[in-house]
Amino acid sequence: MADENTTPEEQALADEWAAALAEAGDASQDDIDAMLAQGEAKPSAPRAPMEDFAGVPKNNAPVSLDGPNLDVILDIPVSISMEVGNTEISIRNLLQLNQGSVIELDRLAGEPLDVLVNGTLIAHGEVVVVNEKFGIRLTDVISQSERIKKLR
């Protein structure tokens, strides 16, 4: 059943598929069951137990910066940001903003800022000025175990 628009290569591929499907269709359920039984009869190699890579030691020991593999990740750059507050506004209001517009945030004046690393809260802080540049003084740092729990 060659179509007039098929190339000889396409026809050869179609013939191969037809032969493979016909061969697979000849197998009975008994043949399939026998093949499965042969696979079960082979002794498999003993499997090593999977390690628990949950991140927190099972003995509930505090997480420390001391570790054999920590040096590998110490130089990885991360993005740190300070969040004064946030709010939700409609696109209509967003498009109407111009110089001098005021956006009300969800924080009170004097509340600490959130310090985020790659979007994860790690500390709270307050704004300071150092050599005419803004800085953040950390007032409350989230414990390492709490940060690890938030990563999950």
Side-chain angles (χ1 to χ4, degrees), residues 92-121:
R92 178 183 323 280
N93 291 341
L94 178 66
L95 294 174
Q96 292 173 352
L97 294 176
N98 54 33
Q99 187 173 353
S101 296
V102 176
I103 302 171
E104 184 178 351
L105 300 176
D106 63 349
R107 299 254 175 119
L108 298 173
E111 267 191 83
L113 288 82
D114 290 339
V115 179
L116 308 166
V117 173
N118 287 346
T120 302
L121 178 68

Side-chain angles (χ1 to χ4, degrees), residues 14-151:
D15 292 340
E16 286 179 34
W17 274 103
L21 290 173
E23 185 179 318
D26 291 341
S28 67
Q29 185 63 41
D30 294 334
D31 296 335
I32 295 171
D33 291 339
M35 288 172 36
L36 288 174
Q38 284 178 348
E40 291 173 2
K42 293 179 185 175
S44 62
R47 294 185 179 189
M50 287 294 293
E51 293 289 331
D52 184 13
F53 295 107
V56 177
K58 288 185 178 183
N59 60 3
N60 292 330
V63 178
S64 68
L65 292 177
D66 299 329
N69 296 329
L70 193 60
D71 292 337
V72 175
I73 65 169
L74 287 178
D75 292 328
I76 295 175
V78 294
S79 174
I80 186 168
S81 59
M82 288 38 156
E83 188 175 278
V84 176
N86 57 54
T87 191
E88 290 185 15
I89 62 172
S90 67
I91 294 175
R92 178 183 323 280
N93 291 341
L94 178 66
L95 294 174
Q96 292 173 352
L97 294 176
N98 54 33
Q99 187 173 353
S101 296
V102 176
I103 302 171
E104 184 178 351
L105 300 176
D106 63 349
R107 299 254 175 119
L108 298 173
E111 267 191 83
L113 288 82
D114 290 339
V115 179
L116 308 166
V117 173
N118 287 346
T120 302
L121 178 68
I122 63 148
H124 297 285
E126 60 187 14
V127 178
V128 295
V129 178
V130 180
N131 296 331
E132 298 184 14
K133 293 185 179 182
F134 286 112
I136 301 292
R137 176 183 294 126
L138 300 181
T139 57
D140 179 38
V141 178
I142 308 297
S143 70
Q144 291 178 348
S145 59
E146 287 297 318
R147 284 183 267 164
I148 290 172
K149 287 179 186 176
K150 288 183 180 184
L151 290 176

